[in-house]
Amino acid sequence: MFMRKLIFLIAPLVPGWLMAQRSDTGLSRYIHPIIGTQRMGHTYPGATYPFGMVQLSPDTDTIPYEQNGRYNPDVYKYCAGYQYDDKTIVGFSHTHFSGTGHSDLGDFLIMPTTGDLQLNPGVAGQPRSGYRSAFSHSTEVSEADYYKVRLDDYNILAELTATERVGFHQYTFPAASNAHIILDLMHGIYNYEEKNIWTYVRVVNDTLVTGYRQTNGWARTRTVYFAMTFSRPFTHYGSRNYSKKQVYRGFWGKFDATRDFPDLAGRQLRMHFDFATREGEKIKVKFALSSVSTDGALLNLRTELPGWDFAQVREKGRAAWDAELNRLSIDAGESEKVNFYTSLYHAFINPTIYMDVDSMYRGLDQLDHKADGFVNYTTFSLWDTHRALHPLFNILQPRRNADMIRSMLAHYQQSAEHMLPIWSHYANENWCMSGYHSVSVIADAIIKGNAPFDANKALDACIATSNRRSFEGLGEYIDRGYIPAGTNGTSVSTTLEYAYDDWCIAQAAKQLGRMDVYDRYMKRSTSYRNVFDPSIGYMRPRLADGSFRKEFDVLSTNGQGFIEGNAWNYSLYVPHDPAALVEMMGGKQRFVAHLDSLFTMELPDKFFAETEDITRDGIIGNYVHGNEPSHHVAYLYDWTDQPWKTQERVRMILDKQYKPTPDGLGGNDDCGQMSAWYIFTSLGFYPVAPGSDQYWLGSPAVDRATLRLENGRTFTIEARGQGQKNVYVRQVLLNGKPLDRRYITHREIMDGGSLVFLMSAKHK
Amino acid sequence: MFMRKLIFLIAPLVPGWLMAQRSDTGLSRYIHPIIGTQRMGHTYPGATYPFGMVQLSPDTDTIPYEQNGRYNPDVYKYCAGYQYDDKTIVGFSHTHFSGTGHSDLGDFLIMPTTGDLQLNPGVAGQPRSGYRSAFSHSTEVSEADYYKVRLDDYNILAELTATERVGFHQYTFPAASNAHIILDLMHGIYNYEEKNIWTYVRVVNDTLVTGYRQTNGWARTRTVYFAMTFSRPFTHYGSRNYSKKQVYRGFWGKFDATRDFPDLAGRQLRMHFDFATREGEKIKVKFALSSVSTDGALLNLRTELPGWDFAQVREKGRAAWDAELNRLSIDAGESEKVNFYTSLYHAFINPTIYMDVDSMYRGLDQLDHKADGFVNYTTFSLWDTHRALHPLFNILQPRRNADMIRSMLAHYQQSAEHMLPIWSHYANENWCMSGYHSVSVIADAIIKGNAPFDANKALDACIATSNRRSFEGLGEYIDRGYIPAGTNGTSVSTTLEYAYDDWCIAQAAKQLGRMDVYDRYMKRSTSYRNVFDPSIGYMRPRLADGSFRKEFDVLSTNGQGFIEGNAWNYSLYVPHDPAALVEMMGGKQRFVAHLDSLFTMELPDKFFAETEDITRDGIIGNYVHGNEPSHHVAYLYDWTDQPWKTQERVRMILDKQYKPTPDGLGGNDDCGQMSAWYIFTSLGFYPVAPGSDQYWLGSPAVDRATLRLENGRTFTIEARGQGQKNVYVRQVLLNGKPLDRRYITHREIMDGGSLVFLMSAKHK
């Protein structure tokens, strides 16, 4: 930790992103988007507005999804388009996931160049082999809604900012008779040749270009429309179509389509817009997106960003981030503040707004819909985010969270399968990961009184989703109480997740007085017992005949009945009834021993390869913080006689897994889930079972925190004496009165008040 | 001719389409859609409503556009999907061009089968190699908006009819435990593997399926949406994805996508819907199209075709055709009536309606538009149809013709090139053939007083179109007065067509009092003189330096300065000023000699191969009736002292080029242009220069004709004594008074009245 803090002091050696002169005093000054861009964090350093539809960010390479017809594992590094160790920037594209472990997007790459036109990106290792440029972190500034870098090959200063739906580029050129701005419509993240279904471009006039890009990626059928406008007219423009096969070009010899031809379509297009520039001339580009049409993009452009004042737009973005962060301010050391507010930043990026300024969006049914009375969102990484991110929203962003649920219900209405989202982006269901955790998000909101939607209809959607028998083993799960091993490589973890989800449905039903549903789903929620082998004390794959599978290694993960967690970890996955789990596993003492072993054992080398999404640093014993099934685990000591071990462990995890550096995240941020864990844990409590109103206590890592709630009330947290050594909680006072339980409730927070932790270097 | 008439008498040997028992008395009983389906006519025998958006017709093969990476000339036979000589039917698809010489469409092939499921169409020469079926003309009935055939392999009786936007299938099955209805989304006309951009299908419930197909064909970027509903529920359904490359299938192991999975997307999909049928059970399918959305298709379906009464819908279609044909009825021999009314039928198929029942359609700008106060049309084969089809519409269908022009103006508004349509279909400009003949259609309507649109704006569109300098040699044409040979393979014919088009613009400008435009364009309209070589008396390719190209063969066509016509023919292409042409070519005597030689010369064998779109029967000397640049030529004798030769030649052409048989058309019907020539010529006059109000007289081939005009007036034509031998016109009486000129005017027709030809066996 010393070395890491030291770099703040040695200015001349440190990257530009740390050295930006920020005169402002807003909290957004603590946002360092560069955190997590090295190795496995999969965050991006570019510009975005809170929950913005545009994520305008540099892409440092274009690794194809496949090489020689096989999956190319290197593509994984580029989930967010940027890797800190890279030496070149390919360009700046407008859509990026934050922290995902699979990817898509990277739409509409813009790159300014000078000199002879190059329309190929070129190769990282060969300077000047294409339009990409070398860059250095010393010229790089990465802030909330602002990114700057010098493109060294061209001596062009690139600056980016964004409104919710419009990316704003500002390029400062040298004097050049042949300056270009390239629009690469082939570029994409997790790209492969057939991913581009179709692209269309129309040059409306010498400053306005519109079009769309349609892809078959992780989102199976996705179309993004754009409107792009330049601050000054281009002198000429042109294009090249890189499709190998072009039977119908559509010009019939009437036009030269490669130059100044305004009506282009094809699978693989790249365009260039040409200028002559004076020394220091700024060419600005506004680039608006829409899921509906080019007119939708134009509407977004003209409504959100009518002018050309880059500094003003940047300032507006910064102010928006200040306002969002101001919902939760802390007193802590500078380094912790960077971690904390950057976590809050990462938590407030996803889900992303998915509608035009007139509330129109393209739905899963391929029809255009109006979000009537709510903001429609997409990018639902629910297997991750139901755990802590949506619970965090129920406290800090209740209005948005309710709208996210309305968006999930709209998804349900449009779903051909009549299911709530599993992992959904851009009105596509990509079906990634297990369970049907939408029900957790919905139940959590209902339980916590944040359900300004039709809660009974929402519950109906939960019930319908949980009864789609053809969905991943669900029919067998309903009939048998577990998914038989053999038919499904994740039979145990999926059974466990269904059981938790069913408990969520039961909780919502109870709240709504539908006791028949409650009873049915409470019964289903005990299904975790059906995959527990009492003879060994672990969850274990079970065959259709009822016997447990013989071949079984408690440390093995993938295809062995589990995903992103082995039996050692997943045996702890009964978040909705830890007390029963403790009993089932042999009582408190044996349970503590199991937990201890998880954090302290030495994992044999061969299992590291199986651990997904994680750097080696990201593993503590056999506890893998970057894999979400563990996120509640450190809190389970609260159900034993040794809650101080929760306090100790969570501080260790905070310390080891989150650092204010590019390589500071031990695993994928997963659309804010990792960050939400950081925020809750830093505040001293965590939602072990969303769908309950309880937050279980840990060890606060901030001196003081103020939650300014949307209901106008304030909830403060104080951790008296907390520090590197003072991680143990001696006493907790809620509104001045000693708390005689190990959790607080949602209502206690939302009513406003104070929570004081008296910290100590020794556990009780 | 004797043999052809004989087949009417020998019933047991003749095809079913001639033997249908028609109890009705409407004129549509003379419609034989089968005419032109053999060899080069490129018509289709299936069901369509007048100007209908749906053309539901059998496809008899699926020849790919390319074989081994090269153009497959056999594909040309299947421009309309059906060839009379074929022995198998692949299925019934919903969109077809009528008579084109290039093609596209063939969307959404439906095929009913029984027995083991086959999802491949199979091969024509191998019985039962796929889902296709043998059929025989003896079971085939092809009528106005009705088609019937027995699918012999399955003993299924297939019947088709259609409303404007909905195809209606009725399949009578045998008893079968495994009956299927196949929906082939890979099928298409002028198909090649990459033509399918994307297809999407959603099984909404067990009788309703929606989706779309997106293609890159002759229409570069075309999406057709559908809604398909069954008269009874299917028991199961399934699909196969034939794409070689499928990185993202979008199921992530959660579902079996091949069976009962409702949410499909991919490049190459085929689906099947399964039934068990009783003997004689009818399964009906309604299939609606839209260019806007699946909701648009549903709206069309529910509005136009709410019920399931097949006979009623068929009857409605027949009545619609009766009504359209009733605009122009004739007295003539039965065989001539078949020719005439089938020509009228073919003339009233295109342009096709292109909007949903709520007037919405997808435009060239990829945006959805509402046709405000007009019916929007597409399928503009203007190089062909400006000659006689649109002039025919100005008489018989003025309301529709005005709406077609409104549609062309909407195209202009949406065009990235700011041009009126050249050859446009499904909101795509395919740029086929030369000139900018929209201006002819617009000028013709303005001149003839059928311009209930903003005529000045229309003229502005004409002017803009004619000044798009980057369009096929247009800049050089404007600067030099001709397109230099070398830069363009059709430099002469295109120059000539521009000159005519410019004259049209001048005429419209004069009518609108814009004399500056008139003067400018009258000057441009004389450009034909710039490619006339007086030393040889022919139009001839001219180089940039002003000299005529040395290598030159007056009989050669393609790439030698001309298209679809050699110098011998194209030297006659000054439709807007034949008198000047006659002068230029050396006076009346020499001009007649040139015309005579055209019809009587023996064309050397090598030039037959160069003659496009034409059977050998379709050539009379060096006159190629199936190629439109000749269409006015037989009338040019009217500008000489021997107009009787016009009378003689046009009768010969009527006789040789139009027969009431499957092989009855000598060349492509070209969206009704060949048919419109037949109708005008049969009536005794022809619009030599659309844009003028004159119809030049020929030799009527009907005894009597009655034109029931939209303005409520009636115009009758009588050809007293006309017959095989009496082809010469002794005298013409207009409203009882002798006519002392060789043309009548549009106003004379529209005012109502009578035109009497006194016929003779001898010319004057």
Side-chain angles (χ1 to χ4, degrees), chain A residues 443-460:
Chain A
D444 198 50
I446 291 173
I447 288 297
K448 291 174 179 170
N450 183 31
F453 43 81
D454 185 332
N456 270 297
K457 276 198 180 167
L459 178 59
D460 292 341

Side-chain angles (χ1 to χ4, degrees), chain B residues 363-382:
Chain B
L364 272 89
D365 52 6
Q366 310 285 305
L367 294 166
D368 296 332
H369 296 269
K370 183 160 194 163
D372 196 5
F374 68 102
V375 175
N376 193 58
Y377 289 89
T378 190
T379 318
F380 288 107
S381 182
L382 291 160

Side-chain angles (χ1 to χ4, degrees), chain B residues 453-473:
Chain B
F453 42 81
D454 186 331
N456 271 297
K457 276 199 180 166
L459 179 59
D460 291 340
C462 293
I463 293 167
T465 301
S466 70
N467 284 302
R468 178 78 190 182
R469 296 180 59 92
S470 55
F471 178 70
E472 198 177 27

Side-chain angles (χ1 to χ4, degrees), chain A residues 248-270:
Chain A
Y248 294 102
R249 291 165 190 252
F251 310 113
W252 213 261
K254 295 293 189 294
F255 288 103
D256 172 7
T258 66
R259 193 149 174 83
D260 294 331
F261 184 71
D263 189 15
L264 300 169
R267 281 192 178 77
Q268 305 291 0
L269 292 178
R270 292 194 180 106

Side-chain angles (χ1 to χ4, degrees), chain A residues 103-235:
Chain A
S103 203
D104 203 345
L105 315 180
D107 301 286
F108 308 121
L109 183 115
I110 297 281
M111 181 69 179
T113 70
T114 59
D116 290 345
L117 179 67
Q118 299 209 69
L119 274 182
N120 266 303
V123 181
Q126 295 173 24
R128 310 265 176 170
S129 59
Y131 63 67
R132 73 172 68 202
S133 170
F135 79 108
S136 151
H137 295 303
S138 68
T139 70
E140 195 177 31
V141 174
S142 170
E143 296 174 358
D145 205 17
Y146 179 69
Y147 179 85
K148 178 165 81 170
V149 74
R150 191 176 71 213
L151 300 168
D152 292 339
D153 286 1
Y154 307 112
N155 192 24
I156 294 171
L157 187 71
E159 293 173 279
L160 313 173
T161 186
T163 62
E164 279 181 336
R165 296 165 181 87
V166 191
F168 199 175
H169 308 239
Q170 176 167 277
Y171 298 119
T172 306
F173 278 85
S177 60
N178 47 4
H180 315 284
I181 289 179
I182 288 164
L183 168 61
D184 188 336
L185 293 143
M186 296 169 64
H187 177 88
I189 294 173
Y190 268 52
N191 228 9
Y192 68 109
E193 199 182 323
E194 290 79 5
K195 182 174 177 180
N196 260 21
I197 297 175
W198 200 244
T199 46
Y200 177 84
V201 179
R202 167 172 288 235
V203 181
V204 180
N205 59 44
D206 61 5
T207 57
L208 179 62
V209 182
T210 62
Y212 65 79
R213 175 175 186 244
Q214 187 178 358
T215 51
N216 168 222
W218 202 22
R220 190 180 52 173
T221 299
R222 187 175 73 99
T223 304
V224 192
Y225 299 85
F226 74 87
M228 172 192 195
T229 180
F230 296 88
S231 57
R232 51 157 282 198
F234 40 82
T235 54

Side-chain angles (χ1 to χ4, degrees), chain A residues 608-644:
Chain A
F608 281 104
E610 280 192 18
T611 309
E612 294 180 64
D613 309 347
I614 305 300
T615 63
R616 194 126 178 175
D617 296 349
I619 302 180
I620 302 169
N622 179 14
Y623 173 87
V624 185
H625 186 66
N627 282 347
E628 276 72 7
S630 315
H631 275 194
H632 68 297
V633 164
Y635 287 90
L636 292 179
Y637 289 105
D638 273 357
W639 276 266
T640 72
D641 298 331
Q642 303 179 41
W644 59 270

Side-chain angles (χ1 to χ4, degrees), chain A residues 482-493 530-533 535-536 538-563 567 610:
Chain A
Y482 66 96
I483 303 172
T487 61
N488 187 303
T490 64
S491 59
V492 180
S493 57
N530 301 328
V531 287
F532 183 76
D533 180 356
S535 74
I536 58 167
Y538 284 92
M539 305 291 182
R540 180 170 184 175
R542 194 169 180 186
L543 301 174
D545 66 7
S547 68
F548 287 99
R549 196 170 62 196
K550 291 211 175 89
E551 314 75 45
F552 174 57
D553 186 326
V554 290
L555 292 178
S556 196
T557 300
N558 284 337
Q560 303 304 307
F562 303 92
I563 188 165
E610 280 192 18

